[in-house]
């Protein structure tokens, strides 16, 4: 009898997984049809969403000044007078992290340190968004971001390995990224819009978790299809299966195209129903977004004042 090591056994099991697409679509439809909280309960949920946001800028024209502005918004994401009227001004509400390119990490760290803030700095890496640069340069990008002060690294998988079924090669690559991250938390971006099938999404999710990911993340935000509810359900079921097998909790981060306060409420509902309230905290759930915070603040402004704010009345991120 030839005995296989556990890693090979589980990777072979992963390669045989099939997802029931119709069942996933039906579940996604039911989530979107649920009633959402209103009035003060809605505001409470929206403030919870704020604390889970990775406030992000990933533009070609990023400069030290707009990274600084992003950091200031992360520290005070909702106007102080609005929080005071909700009796939430002294609860330390801030976003979960700020997320920037590796070359802007030092700027973000400097701004947050000057403001005496402990908000973590996250950096994308490993040839973001395509993940098609040589392996050594991807590893060096991770090390550079960590050296500059990033405590969270959002890596991207090599989609070619997933599309051609090279799950062991993907596992080995992610393990190298895990080692390069050191003590930094590692979020693994699956780029689900380019994985073609829900079965591939499940397989990539499991391999990423087996390789040591602290979070699995839907998208870079640069693909044609980003965070969708069917894809999220598959990833969340993978997280649940992994937890039941190992007892280890892995976080989830939807990103790309999440722009409205109503959408954030649906995401919170989905997490609560699929994984439970334990996952509704920044150490296990993040929302990757750049424009979402502005709409959440507008909704909170409306709840407090009864009016909708003009764009110039709310500080920009």
């Amino acid at each position: 009898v030839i005995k296989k090591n556990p890693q090979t056994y589980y990777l072979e099991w992963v390669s045989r997984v099939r997802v029931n697409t119709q069942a996933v679509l039906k579940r996604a439809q039911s989530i979107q049809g649920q009633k959402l909280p209103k009035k003060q309960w809605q505001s409470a949920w929206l403030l919870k969403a704020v604390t889970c946001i990775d406030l992000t800028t990933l533009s070609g024209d990023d400069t030290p000044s707009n990274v600084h502005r992003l950091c200031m918004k992360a520290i005070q994401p909702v106007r102080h007078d609005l929080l005071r009227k909700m009796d939430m001004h002294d609860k330390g509400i801030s976003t979960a992290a700020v997320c920037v390119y590796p070359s802007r990490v030092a700027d973000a760290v400097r701004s947050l340190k000057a403001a005496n803030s402990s908000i973590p700095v996250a950096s994308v890496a490993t040839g973001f968004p395509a993940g098609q640069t040589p392996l050594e340069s991807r590893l060096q990008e991770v090390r550079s971001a960590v050296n500059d002060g990033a405590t969270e690294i959002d890596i991207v998988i090599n989609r070619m390995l997933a599309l051609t079924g090279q799950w062991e090669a993907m596992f080995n690559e992610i393990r190298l990224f895990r080692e390069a991250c050191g003590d930094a938390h590692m979020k693994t971006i699956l780029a689900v819009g380019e994985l073609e099938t829900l079965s591939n999404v499940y397989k990539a999710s499991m391999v990423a978790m087996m390789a040591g990911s602290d979070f699995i993340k839907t998208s870079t935000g640069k693909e044609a299809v980003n965070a969708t509810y069917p894809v999220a359900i598959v990833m969340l079921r993978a997280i649940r299966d992994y937890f039941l097998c190992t007892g280890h909790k892995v976080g989830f981060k939807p990103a790309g195209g999440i722009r409205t306060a109503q959408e954030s409420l649906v995401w919170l509902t989905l997490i609560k129903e699929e994984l439970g309230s334990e996952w509704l905290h920044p150490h296990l759930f993040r929302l990757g977004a750049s424009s979402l915070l502005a709409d959440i603040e507008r909704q909170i402004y409306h709840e407090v004042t009864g009016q909708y704010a003009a764009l110039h009345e709310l500080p920009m991120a």
Side-chain angles (χ1 to χ4, degrees):
V1 178
I2 300 172
K3 290 187 177 180
K4 296 179 180 177
N5 68 55
Q7 177 187 312
T8 303
Y9 173 80
Y10 285 115
L11 287 170
E12 285 185 4
W13 172 81
V14 164
S15 70
R16 294 194 296 270
V17 167
R18 297 292 179 269
V19 170
N20 184 337
T21 300
Q22 291 307 311
V24 171
L25 295 176
K26 188 174 181 180
R27 172 67 176 136
Q29 198 171 22
S30 74
I31 281 288
Q32 293 174 79
Q34 289 189 7
K35 289 185 177 180
L36 297 174
K38 301 292 184 184
K39 299 187 176 179
Q40 69 264 39
W41 294 279
Q42 182 184 87
S43 295
W45 276 74
L46 290 177
L47 287 178
K48 166 63 76 174
V50 167
T51 65
C52 294
I53 289 176
D54 280 359
L55 195 58
T56 303
T57 180
L58 295 170
S59 301
D61 58 357
D62 283 344
T63 61
S65 60
N66 71 316
V67 168
H68 175 75
R69 188 175 68 209
L70 187 86
C71 293
M72 295 305 101
K73 186 66 175 175
I75 293 168
Q76 184 70 63
V78 179
R79 265 178 31 183
H80 190 267
D81 60 314
L82 300 178
L83 291 176
R84 180 173 286 280
K85 288 181 179 177
M86 298 168 72
D87 196 28
M88 295 295 288
H89 60 285
D90 56 353
K91 301 297 189 291
I93 289 175
S94 68
T95 67
V98 295
C99 183
V100 295
Y101 275 120
S103 58
R104 300 270 70 88
V105 167
D107 298 329
V109 169
R110 196 178 305 115
S111 292
L112 292 167
K113 189 175 181 180
N116 200 28
S117 171
S118 59
I119 294 174
V121 175
S123 173
V124 295
T126 67
F128 179 95
Q132 293 284 9
T133 52
L135 178 58
E136 189 49 47
S137 66
R138 284 181 279 157
L139 289 167
Q140 186 52 43
E141 198 173 29
V142 173
R143 297 185 195 108
S144 175
V146 171
N147 288 338
D148 283 345
T151 54
E152 300 180 3
I153 303 293
D154 290 26
I155 68 158
V156 291
I157 65 166
N158 183 339
R159 274 79 94 192
M160 182 275 290
L161 297 177
L163 293 171
T164 55
Q166 298 182 62
W167 301 112
E168 189 163 5
M170 179 190 288
F171 174 89
N172 292 334
E173 247 190 30
I174 297 173
R175 287 296 300 169
L176 291 174
F177 298 145
R178 171 70 270 173
E179 290 168 16
C181 285
D183 293 332
H185 282 197
M186 186 176 79
K187 309 190 201 94
T188 300
I189 306 171
L190 304 184
V192 292
E194 296 176 353
L195 292 185
E196 295 186 351
T197 68
L198 291 178
S199 294
N200 278 345
V201 170
Y202 184 93
K203 293 171 186 178
S205 299
M206 290 300 287
V207 171
M209 291 186 286
M210 288 165 62
S213 304
D214 296 296
F215 273 74
I216 52 174
K217 176 178 170 181
T218 59
S219 320
T220 65
K222 309 293 186 182
E223 296 95 44
V225 178
N226 294 294
T228 65
Y229 301 121
V231 157
I233 288 164
V234 172
M235 293 175 70
L236 293 172
R237 294 290 172 93
I239 288 172
R240 190 163 73 189
D241 291 347
Y242 188 76
F243 172 66
L244 291 173
C245 286
T246 67
H248 181 67
K249 294 176 183 174
V250 175
F252 175 67
K253 178 179 174 181
I258 304 171
R259 296 186 177 89
T260 69
Q262 290 295 104
E263 286 177 280
S264 71
L265 294 175
V266 176
W267 283 107
L268 289 170
T269 303
L270 180 59
I271 298 301
K272 184 174 172 60
E273 291 205 356
E274 288 291 326
L275 295 176
S277 299
E278 288 178 80
W279 260 264
L280 283 177
H281 298 281
H283 66 280
L284 286 171
F285 176 61
R286 300 288 180 86
L287 287 160
S290 51
S291 57
L292 170 63
L293 180 56
D295 193 60
I296 289 179
E297 194 172 13
R298 285 186 77 238
Q299 293 299 326
I300 290 172
Y301 183 99
H302 179 260
E303 174 60 30
V304 170
T305 67
Q307 301 173 322
Y308 281 107
L311 289 175
H312 68 269
E313 292 182 282
L314 299 173
M316 57 195 290

